[in-house]
Amino acid sequence: MAFACVKGIIILDGEGSRIVCKYFTNDFPTLKEQKSFEKKLFEKTHKANAEIIMLDNIIAIYRMISDVYICVLGDPEENEVMLLSLLNTIVDSLSNLVRSGEMSQMEKRTLLDNYDLALLALDEVVDEGLVLEADSNIITQRVALRGFGDDLPITEQTIGQALSAAREQIAKSLLK
């Protein structure tokens, strides 16, 4: 049985600038190569009507929502239906977070303000290129638990959560 592999997940704004990006292979080892690929990808997709494109021997399945492009990258031999399903899972997970109130709208500003939640959602979907979960409801629940759990150990908290917890502890100790 072969495992589904993903080369990367890219979220760009309406001008082609990176919002969130995770590469899982060494196809683009430097930041310069990554940005160059992202620029070419945006130029090819921002006016296209399709959901799939082949660029530099990489399949890119993408969707535009508001002012955000969400793109899943895969190997040319990878199943396009699986990549599309993964894209739908990511879109649905981020949309569920929007509807549940942790984010107000899925747009560039909101994703930047809630960068930690977006990264947690991507981490719940894919780990080192392997698809871990395809159910957007489960992903949303896990992110919501990790995003707002005050009783999580410090090692499982995001930087924002750890700073917030530290700030609360300092405030409590100063008030005593």
Side-chain angles (χ1 to χ4, degrees):
M1 179 175 147
F3 291 101
C5 286
V6 178
K7 288 184 173 254
I9 299 171
I10 303 170
I11 302 178
L12 303 173
D13 68 10
E15 298 165 359
S17 298
R18 178 187 290 194
I19 298 174
V20 178
C21 179
K22 294 188 88 128
Y23 287 96
F24 304 110
T25 63
N26 235 3
D27 291 336
F28 307 103
T30 66
L31 181 62
K32 183 178 179 181
E33 291 173 332
Q34 291 174 5
K35 295 239 181 199
S36 173
F37 176 77
E38 291 164 16
K39 181 179 178 185
K40 283 195 290 187
L41 179 66
F42 180 76
E43 288 171 358
K44 295 279 186 187
T45 60
H46 81 280
K47 292 183 181 178
N49 252 352
E51 287 187 333
I52 185 170
I53 189 170
M54 178 77 105
L55 181 65
D56 293 345
N57 205 29
I58 293 175
I59 292 179
I61 310 264
Y62 61 93
R63 184 168 307 144
M64 182 173 182
I65 300 167
S66 186
D67 63 346
V68 175
Y69 284 89
I70 302 174
C71 183
V72 175
L73 307 176
D75 200 68
E77 289 85 34
E78 194 60 68
N79 184 336
E80 294 89 358
V81 175
M82 186 281 305
L83 294 174
L84 179 60
S85 175
L86 181 63
L87 175 65
N88 290 335
T89 297
I90 293 167
V91 169
D92 291 346
S93 297
L94 293 174
S95 295
N96 288 344
L97 290 169
V98 169
R99 280 195 300 270
S100 67
E102 288 121 27
M103 298 186 211
S104 57
Q105 295 178 2
M106 189 174 18
E107 57 187 21
K108 177 183 178 179
R109 179 91 233 121
T110 307
L111 285 173
L112 289 173
D113 289 343
N114 296 283
Y115 190 77
D116 57 340
L117 294 178
L119 283 177
L120 281 172
L122 295 181
D123 286 344
E124 290 293 333
V125 176
V126 178
D127 184 33
E128 294 186 25
L130 296 177
V131 177
L132 298 176
E133 184 61 62
D135 186 339
S136 61
N137 292 323
I138 291 173
I139 293 163
T140 303
Q141 289 172 353
R142 288 180 185 167
V143 170
L145 286 175
R146 293 179 79 185
F148 297 99
D150 292 334
D151 55 350
L152 284 177
I154 191 81
T155 57
E156 293 192 20
Q157 292 182 2
T158 64
I159 292 172
Q161 291 170 321
L163 288 174
S164 177
R167 194 176 310 121
E168 288 175 20
Q169 291 295 328
I170 292 170
K172 286 179 184 176
S173 66
L174 290 175
L175 292 174
K176 286 183 180 179

